[in-house]
Amino acid sequence: MARADTAARTLLQEFQVTSAPVDPISLARDLDVQVVPQDLDDDVSGMLLRRDGRCVIGVNRTHSRLRQRFTVAHELGHLRMHRGRPLILDTDTRVNYRNTVSSMATDREEVEANRFAAALLAPETLVRDAVYGASFRTVGELVTQLAGTFELSEIAMTYRLMNLGIISGPAH
């Protein structure tokens, strides 16, 4: 199991979250992290700020509710797994003025934070239970149904199901 999956599972167990949809804002509050909707450039989904022992997650208020949920979960992933950096700014286009080794580390952290967010919002056992109990004829119907249950975008749900080996690829 990947480190991100383990970290997400640990957080869910810590606060005894056992049903969907998982509320990442409530989990942030439980961790004493303030979540602040912000007016950010459209290509900035969110940020994590650590200062003086306090943590704040800024989330782009103009993005859809589902995107904001994923962003908060993503920033919680940075909080739990990527210690030490005082500011993490998540944008669609990453500008890096560092050497290639450190920029690769940042990309790896982003992939890991995305995996954490997916595992937090759609925990494997809950997803497998939902698939087992679902009534569907096509992969598309399954994705739509589960996206609603877990309050994820259909794209995020598709990737989660693919990563869990439940489906082999996106619905056509």
Side-chain angles (χ1 to χ4, degrees):
M1 180 177 298
R3 184 171 91 111
D5 297 276
T6 302
R9 181 178 289 168
T10 299
L11 180 57
L12 292 167
Q13 289 171 345
E14 198 175 315
F15 293 102
Q16 301 171 349
V17 177
T18 58
S19 62
V22 173
D23 183 352
I25 294 172
S26 178
L27 285 171
R29 259 190 248 112
D30 291 342
L31 291 168
D32 200 28
V33 175
Q34 186 178 4
V35 177
V36 181
Q38 300 276 297
D39 290 320
L40 300 169
D41 288 344
D42 197 50
D43 70 331
V44 179
S45 52
M47 67 180 78
L48 172 65
L49 176 65
R50 297 175 172 123
R51 187 170 40 198
D52 303 326
R54 298 203 28 89
C55 294
V56 175
I57 291 174
V59 62
N60 192 327
R61 77 169 79 233
T62 66
H63 287 175
S64 74
R65 187 179 75 79
L66 297 181
R67 174 89 184 258
Q68 288 181 42
R69 284 172 42 78
F70 195 89
T71 297
V72 172
H74 175 100
E75 300 306 335
L76 288 174
H78 283 307
L79 178 71
R80 294 299 281 237
M81 295 183 301
H82 308 135
R83 309 231 183 259
R85 290 173 48 204
L87 175 65
I88 298 174
L89 184 66
D90 288 309
T91 66
D92 290 341
T93 54
R94 181 163 299 282
V95 178
N96 244 318
Y97 296 107
R98 299 171 302 161
N99 65 41
T100 55
V101 173
S102 61
S103 68
M104 283 190 301
T106 300
D107 292 341
R108 193 170 53 249
E109 286 180 358
E110 291 309 308
V111 169
E112 196 171 46
N114 279 339
R115 184 168 179 138
F116 176 96
L120 187 74
L121 296 175
E124 181 174 0
T125 55
L126 296 182
V127 170
R128 291 192 186 283
D129 288 348
V131 169
Y132 183 74
S135 175
F136 60 94
R137 289 190 322 253
T138 66
V139 169
E141 286 178 13
L142 175 65
V143 168
T144 299
Q145 203 175 115
L146 295 183
T149 299
F150 290 94
E151 296 186 11
L152 280 174
S153 70
E154 289 189 12
I155 292 170
M157 194 72 240
T158 298
Y159 280 115
R160 183 64 175 147
L161 292 171
M162 287 169 51
N163 289 334
L164 291 173
I166 294 170
I167 63 173
S168 58
H172 298 305

